[in-house]
Amino acid sequence: MWRASAFMIALFATPAPANPSDREIVVDGPAVHFSDIFDMNRIPAALRERAAEIRLAMVPADHAGESVALAWFAARARRQIPALGPSLSGIDGSVRIRRRPDPTGTVADHPRETVRSCVRIERPFDRGAVVPSGALAAVPCDDDSAYGVFRYDLSVGAVRAVRALSPGDVAVAPGSMPFADIVPGQPLVVAVRIGHVQVRRDAVAVQPAQWDDRFFARTADNHLIPVTIPSEVAQ
C-alpha cells in the first residue's frame, strides 16, 4: 500500500565528468549518508541525529567518480525529511563520490571477490533500462553466468542494464547495488487522503525507488505527487 501527500516537483540529476574543483567525498562502504555530504552544523539540533543517517545513494567499489550536484542530494534529503528544507536552501556546487579501497575484501562489490549470487532475467530489457527486483529470480551461478551486466546509476539511485537482456539470461548479481522495487512507467493506484476522505487515483511512477524510499508518481490529470513505500496503494 502506498501513501501520497501534497504536490511536489521531482528533481533529477545527471552526472557530469569530474571537475578538479569538486569536493571529493570518500566513503568506507556502498552507502552514502547525509552526514557524508553536508555540514551537520547547519542542521537544527533536533534533526541532526535523524538526518545524519539518511541514505542518499549507493556507490559501487568501481564507481568512476563523476560529479554530482549537491542540489540533487539536497532534494533527495528533503523528500525524506521535509523539515530540512530551510537548512538546505541555496545549496550549489557539486561533489565527487568514491569508495575507500578495502584491503580485507569484506566490503567488496565485485562477485569474483566474494560469494557469488546470480539472477535469471524474467523479461526483456533494453540497454540502459532500470532493472526492477520483481523481474529477477535467484538461481545458482555456473561458469556461463555473465559478469558486468548491471551498473549503478548514481543520478537516479537505481541499477541499469549495461546491454540488452533477454528472458532466461543468467547474470551475476551486483553485490551492494540494490535493484529498484518501483521503476519509471509502472502503473499504480494511489490512495490520497483529503481530510477524512480517502480517494484512489490511477498514477504512473516517474522515477525508480526502493522499499521505504519516497518517489514521484504522475496522476491521470498530470499532477506529480510524492509516494512512499510501504504505502496506501491498491495492487
Side-chain angles (χ1 to χ4, degrees):
M1 307 300 290
W2 286 284
R3 181 175 58 258
S5 56
F7 170 81
M8 294 178 67
I9 298 294
L11 174 65
F12 294 88
T14 302
N19 185 323
S21 64
D22 291 342
R23 178 165 57 97
E24 184 176 69
I25 305 294
V26 181
V27 295
D28 291 320
V32 180
H33 294 96
F34 184 93
S35 57
D36 295 321
I37 303 294
F38 296 106
D39 179 4
M40 297 306 295
N41 291 324
R42 67 185 296 158
I43 307 303
L47 293 176
R48 283 177 194 164
E49 183 175 355
R50 182 182 170 199
E53 296 305 313
I54 295 176
R55 190 189 70 187
L56 298 179
M58 297 288 287
V59 181
D62 58 356
H63 179 60
E66 301 96 338
S67 295
V68 180
L70 284 170
W72 181 81
F73 288 112
R76 189 165 175 84
R78 286 195 298 267
R79 288 199 295 270
Q80 298 186 58
I81 304 181
L84 290 172
S87 302
L88 299 178
S89 62
I91 293 288
D92 58 13
S94 55
V95 294
R96 287 178 292 121
I97 311 291
R98 69 176 178 86
R99 286 271 295 277
R100 193 186 312 278
D102 174 37
T104 68
T106 57
V107 196
D109 279 325
H110 201 291
R112 291 189 190 275
E113 302 165 2
T114 59
V115 177
R116 296 194 305 172
S117 61
C118 289
V119 292
R120 183 179 64 242
I121 311 302
E122 299 287 272
R123 60 183 176 85
F125 290 97
D126 293 332
R127 177 183 178 185
V130 173
V131 180
S133 57
L136 306 170
V139 295
C141 295
D142 58 34
D143 291 340
D144 294 326
S145 300
Y147 285 95
V149 170
F150 307 107
R151 69 176 179 86
Y152 186 74
D153 185 344
L154 182 63
S155 69
V156 298
V159 174
R160 293 187 185 275
V162 170
R163 60 172 174 80
L165 299 174
S166 301
D169 287 350
V170 175
V172 175
S176 63
M177 305 182 206
F179 289 98
D181 296 308
I182 297 292
V183 296
Q186 183 169 332
L188 310 169
V189 180
V190 183
V192 181
R193 186 172 297 279
I194 304 174
H196 297 292
V197 179
Q198 188 179 80
V199 180
R200 292 191 175 188
R201 307 176 68 182
D202 291 332
V204 175
V206 299
Q207 62 187 138
Q210 297 154 19
W211 195 258
D212 289 334
D213 278 354
R214 173 172 283 196
F215 65 99
F216 285 83
R218 188 181 302 277
T219 62
D221 54 359
N222 207 35
H223 284 160
L224 286 177
I225 55 175
V227 179
T228 303
I229 316 172
S231 56
E232 299 172 357
V233 168
Q235 301 250 10

